[in-house]
Structure formats: structure tokens, C-alpha cells
Amino acid sequence: MKNYYMEMTEEVKEAIAAGKPVVALESTIISHGMPYPKNVETALRVEEIIRENGAVPATIAIIEGVLKVGLTKEEVDYMGKAPGIAKVSRRDIPYIVAKNLDGATTVASTMIIADMAGISIFATGGIGGVHRGAEITMDISADLEELANTNVAVVCAGAKSILDIGLTLEYLETKGVPVFGYETEELPAFFTRESGFKVDYKIDSPEEMAKALKTKWDLELNGGALIANPIPEEYSMDSDFITKTIEDAVKEAGERGISGKDTTPFLLSKVTEMTKGDSLESNIQLVYNNAKVAALVASEYAKL
Ligand code: PSU
Ligand code: MN
């Protein structure tokens, strides 16, 4: 079926048609997850890392109402600096597209568009999840529901402790989303390699990972998978320090009445500010590491 709403770059189109490895990338991390110009530098470097590891990058965004799969350098720059680009999750897609607006795609909407394009592997930093206090606020990211339903595997650095990691894992279990640890038995917590929670299965190689994904989808066990890849040791942060910082940020969000889709971007920028950019450097490095693993898994997956 031709998708009249979607536009792919030639490179991505050819790679998908030829069954070559392709890795999807999100754009909320560019527009709302990091400050300019680091966001653009990081996004472009992530694309290079994916190429260096044998796959084709496909950064996904909505530009003037078009679902873009693969962006030019100019488009990445635009997503990084244009003011007021909407953060687009599943519920936002129809309106933003119908009105020919721009949208930065979250994990959920990037999964949707990747799946439409025929891309199965996606690299990012962190996913959304069950927020702390969700038993009152009901703030649970649409990313989790997308992982439940859409056949895309997401490589991330675990769940950030702006979330309730335990409840996030419970939700994923209920929805049948496997949580794999890449060379780890413990779920990483984004800035740190440990969270105190176990993954479902430790995976030791890209090949093993690709086989498990292929089996899942061959059996029509629909939905995504989480591949949790710990931040490299040398960039990991002090656990007590980052926990305290995040707690302060969560408290401030509560006091200021931040809610809905603004919560995650608020907490991310607050943490960056409070760590004077240290957390930003860690964030960038873990995304690079995820891009590499995603490219290796995509390469193995393409051989099966
Ligand atoms: N976590 C991060 N960095 C990010 C995000 C989450 O460490 O940039 C972004 C992702 O795009 C994710 C979204 O899909 O925030 C989740 O937002 P919400 O909680 O509003 O669903
Ligand atoms: Mn939310």
C-alpha cells in the first residue's frame, strides 16, 4: 500500500527495499530532549555511528504535515532549532498531519512511523514510562502502550529515574513486552548502570538478540521489545547525586504544576541545568552507545 502521508529519503527507501539493515531514530530527543546546538551535533553523529556499524539511519519527524523517514542535515538542524515544534505522540499525529504542521516524534510515534515504513529496530536514549506518583496522576507514557502493540524493538539505556522504574516494568510485563538486557542482568537506569531491578533476559550478542526478535514476530506475538543497554562505565554518573537531583526536579515539577506532555521535557532540562551539563554529556554518550548496538542488531536481523 502506498502511504500518501509518508516521504522517505532515497537512501532509506533503497535500503528497505533491498532488505538492508536500517535503524529508526526519534526527533523529540532533538527538539525537546537536548539544547541547541548539542542536539543537532548529537543527532548527526548518531547517524554516522549507525553507518560506521553497517546500517542506514532513518531519523523520523513530521515536517509540514509529511511523515518523514530519513532527514537531510538541513532538516535535522531545523528540528533542532525551530521554536515551538510540537511534541507528537500517537494521539497528536492526525491533527499535526492534517494541518500541515511540524512535529517532533516521541518513542511511541516514531515506532508507529517506523513500522509503517518497514523498519524494525529503533535507537534512542530513554523511553517514557510510568511516572512517579502515577497512582494519583495517571501519568503513564503512551510509549508503553506502543511497545505493547507495535512491532519495533527499541534500544535504550533503561528507564530514567524521573520514572517509577518498578511500576514501568510491571506495566511492560502486563502488556507482554520482553525486556532484554544487553550484556547485563540488571536494568540500567539511564545515567547509571544499575537500578536495583532485573531485566527479563540477559542477551550476550547482537545475533542472539536478532534471533529472539525474529522468533517473536514469526510467532505473531505482536508488539515491541525493549533492549536495555547500559551507559558506558566511564560516562556513568554517581548514583546518589543523580537520584537527589532527579528528586529535586520532580518536586519542583509538582510545585509548579507541570503536567501532561510537558512533564518529561521539564524534568530533562531541569536535570541538565542542575548538573551543569554533566548529565547532558552522559546522555549524549549513552545515545551513541545505543546507536551502535542498534546498528549491530539490525545487521544481524537483516541476515535472518
Ligand atoms: N526520556 C529521555 N529523553 C527523551 C525522552 C524521554 O531521557 O528525550 C522523550 C522521548 O521522546 C519519549 C518521550 O518518547 O520523551 C516521552 O514523553 P512522555 O513521557 O510525555 O510520553
Ligand atoms: Mn506523560
Side-chain angles (χ1 to χ4, degrees):
M1 184 196 79
K2 173 137 178 56
N3 187 330
Y4 289 98
Y5 297 97
M6 181 181 286
E7 216 172 86
M8 290 194 212
T9 57
E10 280 308 311
E11 184 193 22
V12 172
K13 201 186 296 174
E14 281 167 21
I16 292 171
K20 289 188 190 150
V22 180
V23 174
L25 298 160
E26 59 150 311
S27 45
T28 290
I29 190 173
I30 306 175
S31 304
H32 300 280
M34 291 181 191
Y36 185 81
K38 284 268 180 191
N39 55 355
V40 172
E41 287 164 27
T42 303
L44 295 175
R45 179 69 193 126
V46 162
E47 293 198 351
E48 274 175 24
I49 291 170
I50 288 171
R51 288 178 211 284
E52 287 162 13
N53 289 281
V56 170
T59 304
I60 290 178
I62 303 177
I63 299 180
E64 292 181 4
V66 178
L67 308 179
K68 294 269 190 180
V69 181
L71 300 185
T72 63
K73 282 196 168 70
E74 292 71 30
E75 286 168 335
V76 170
D77 192 66
Y78 175 74
M79 293 306 294
K81 73 175 169 207
I85 291 189
K87 177 180 158 192
V88 171
S89 195
R90 171 179 272 272
R91 58 133 186 227
D92 308 291
I93 295 174
Y95 181 84
I96 297 296
V97 169
K99 300 281 271 186
N100 298 328
L101 297 172
D102 300 325
T105 53
T106 62
V107 168
S109 52
T110 303
M111 287 177 74
I112 294 169
I113 297 167
D115 187 45
M116 284 176 186
I119 303 171
S120 308
I121 314 291
F122 166 14
T124 188
I127 58 159
V130 180
H131 276 267
R132 296 184 187 195
E135 61 275 24
I136 303 291
T137 62
M138 287 185 68
D139 188 350
I140 301 173
S141 174
D143 292 354
L144 298 185
E145 207 52 34
E146 214 54 57
L147 281 161
N149 296 315
T150 301
N151 296 4
V152 173
V154 181
V155 181
C156 70
K160 188 176 284 177
S161 54
I162 61 173
L163 303 172
D164 186 317
I165 298 177
L167 291 187
T168 301
L169 286 172
E170 291 294 346
Y171 196 104
L172 291 169
E173 180 185 4
T174 301
K175 295 292 182 172
V177 179
V179 178
F180 298 105
Y182 191 80
E183 295 176 342
T184 180
E185 285 184 0
E186 186 157 343
L187 183 76
F190 202 85
F191 295 120
T192 55
R193 295 172 62 87
E194 283 92 31
S195 68
F197 292 91
K198 291 260 176 287
V199 295
D200 301 329
Y201 302 100
K202 174 172 180 268
I203 292 285
D204 292 312
S205 69
E207 189 189 4
E208 190 187 356
M209 188 66 260
K211 278 189 183 157
L213 295 174
K214 172 98 166 48
T215 305
K216 182 179 199 291
W217 294 323
D218 276 353
L219 292 171
E220 295 182 19
L221 295 168
N222 286 330
L226 208 61
I227 305 172
N229 181 36
I231 184 171
E233 188 80 61
E234 61 270 37
Y235 299 108
S236 72
M237 298 187 72
D238 179 75
S239 174
D240 292 340
F241 169 68
I242 197 71
T243 302
K244 169 83 174 67
T245 305
I246 287 170
E247 272 163 10
D248 290 348
V250 169
K251 190 159 162 268
E252 186 172 337
E255 285 162 4
R256 290 173 54 171
I258 310 278
S259 69
K261 71 199 279 186
D262 297 331
T263 304
T264 298
F266 175 84
L267 293 173
L268 297 178
S269 67
K270 202 71 213 168
V271 169
T272 302
E273 183 191 313
M274 291 196 295
T275 60
K276 301 191 182 64
D278 277 6
S279 67
L280 180 59
E281 191 48 36
S282 293
N283 196 346
I284 291 169
Q285 293 298 332
L286 67 84
V287 174
Y288 292 166
N289 194 38
N290 295 343
K292 178 179 172 191
V293 167
L296 297 175
V297 172
S299 299
E300 290 302 323
Y301 186 75
K303 291 183 199 160
L304 296 174

